[in-house]
Amino acid sequence: MGAILVVYKVFPEDIVKDFEPLKEKVKAILPQAASIEGWGTEDIAFGLVALLVQVRFPENLDGLVEEFEVALAKIPGVSQAEAFNIRRTSRD
């Protein structure tokens, strides 16, 4: 069985210099069946930087991609979150 790899873009409400506290909050809400594959950042504008989170979900569980996106947006200090790169992989 394969997996779904999703990259989420998490927009903070304000300029963030240290993403470690936000990363810990993301890890705390991660579904049990999912795993974080990597982190990154993307410059947005005027010093605002978005946190990129790559997550692996099992492809047999419906709805996790959207549910996690909604949960990310509800983290205090996050203005919005969006899944912008979704792909299937045959590797577990």
Side-chain angles (χ1 to χ4, degrees):
M1 178 180 314
I4 305 295
L5 290 176
V6 183
V7 178
Y8 293 94
K9 192 179 297 186
V10 182
F11 296 89
E13 291 177 339
D14 204 353
I15 294 173
V16 174
K17 298 293 183 194
D18 179 16
F19 278 109
E20 289 308 313
L22 181 55
K23 287 179 182 180
E24 291 304 316
K25 291 176 184 176
V26 170
K27 290 176 191 175
I29 64 166
L30 188 68
Q32 192 171 14
S35 63
I36 294 175
E37 297 292 309
W39 304 96
T41 58
E42 182 179 307
D43 293 336
I44 304 301
F46 307 110
L48 185 64
V49 178
L51 178 65
L52 304 177
V53 185
Q54 184 176 8
V55 181
R56 178 183 299 269
F57 296 100
E59 72 176 344
N60 64 334
L61 298 177
D62 292 335
L64 280 182
V65 173
E66 294 83 11
E67 289 172 18
F68 190 59
E69 183 175 345
V70 170
L72 285 171
K74 290 181 180 178
I75 293 174
V78 171
S79 67
Q80 73 180 62
E82 65 180 34
F84 75 97
N85 187 354
I86 302 171
R87 64 186 173 95
R88 182 181 180 277
T89 179
S90 59
R91 295 176 49 207
D92 288 333

